[in-house]
Amino acid sequence: MNNETTTLISLKEAMKRVDHKLQALEAHFKELDFIKDNLKQKFEDHSKTLANQGAQDELWTAVLSLKFTSMELNILYSYVIEVLVHLHTRVLEKLPDLVRSLPTLASILRQKVKNKRIRVVWESVLEEYGLQEGDITALCIFFVAHGNKAEHYIAKVRQMYIRDINFMISNMVKNQALQDGLLKAIQVIEKGKAETAPKEKKSPLKELIPPVKS
């Protein structure tokens, strides 16, 4: 074996070693890219979680600092509870076989996260009513904050005390998410009343005028 042949063999071996190193570096860079993308996704998810938490904290603050009278809160509560009842009832109408496993709206909100069928029906119901998840969050927070002490007022009692509730909400509720949720609740109920009025459909809720709280 002459020197030229030896040099050629050595060169080929050196090129193989370089090629192996390049492949190792390529694999390493791919791994780093994967780690980078994974960290980026985790950071984005964490940022969204923090943003959602911050928005919910602001909602709670807005709900707890409302400056309405007891009567005004009762009227708002009446719209909120009617919307939540309508949503629950509508979901059960579309899922009659799950009536026993979905006794409350809270059970729907919990189970829709893991159950695709419930989630699809829930989303279709929200679309029917022109509502979004953010509206439901606002309404549920309002319900939790004030439901233990508020009273339900039927439609004619509500109209007796407040002629323009939309103006009241727009004027006094500064948090945009809460304002949007309450205004949409009013819209849903008033639209439903207009649709059922020709049929003279009676409300299933107790037709009694509650005492007005100062």
Side-chain angles (χ1 to χ4, degrees), residues 9-148:
I9 292 173
S10 298
L11 181 60
K12 286 183 178 179
E13 289 177 349
M15 290 179 66
K16 285 182 180 179
R17 288 196 296 271
V18 170
D19 187 51
H20 289 158
K21 287 184 178 181
L22 289 174
Q23 289 178 8
L25 283 172
E26 184 179 3
H28 184 59
F29 280 124
K30 285 182 179 179
E31 183 180 0
L32 288 175
D33 282 339
F34 175 78
I35 293 173
K36 179 199 69 175
D37 292 341
N38 192 34
L39 288 174
K40 182 181 178 182
Q41 185 62 51
K42 286 183 177 180
F43 177 76
E44 290 176 351
D45 291 343
H46 185 60
S47 297
K48 288 179 181 177
T49 300
L50 289 177
N52 289 336
Q53 185 61 52
Q56 287 202 20
D57 289 345
E58 289 181 9
L59 263 174
W60 274 103
T61 301
V63 168
L64 293 173
S65 61
L66 290 173
K67 302 300 182 183
F68 293 115
T69 65
S70 295
M71 180 268 292
E72 290 168 339
L73 277 174
N74 286 341
I75 291 175
L76 288 176
Y77 166 80
S78 301
Y79 281 105
V80 169
I81 190 63
E82 287 182 21
V83 169
L84 298 181
V85 168
H86 284 327
L87 291 173
H88 180 232
T89 302
R90 187 66 180 129
V91 170
L92 295 186
E93 287 175 353
K94 294 193 171 194
L95 298 171
D97 56 314
L98 297 181
V99 169
R100 290 190 176 183
S101 60
L102 299 173
T104 62
L105 182 66
S107 63
I108 293 173
L109 296 177
R110 284 194 303 269
Q111 295 192 43
K112 74 179 178 66
V113 177
K114 296 182 179 180
N115 189 310
K116 183 179 179 180
R117 184 181 170 214
I118 295 174
R119 183 168 63 254
V120 169
V121 168
W122 170 253
E123 290 172 353
S124 71
V125 169
L126 288 187
E127 187 175 354
E128 272 183 40
Y129 284 97
L131 297 168
Q132 298 180 356
E133 288 288 352
D135 301 321
I136 305 307
T137 299
L139 297 179
C140 286
I141 288 176
F142 182 94
F143 173 77
V144 171
H146 298 291
N148 64 324

Side-chain angles (χ1 to χ4, degrees), residues 1-14:
M1 184 181 294
N2 56 33
N3 289 337
E4 185 177 344
T5 303
T6 302
T7 301
L8 184 60
I9 292 173
S10 298
L11 181 60
K12 286 183 178 179
E13 289 177 349

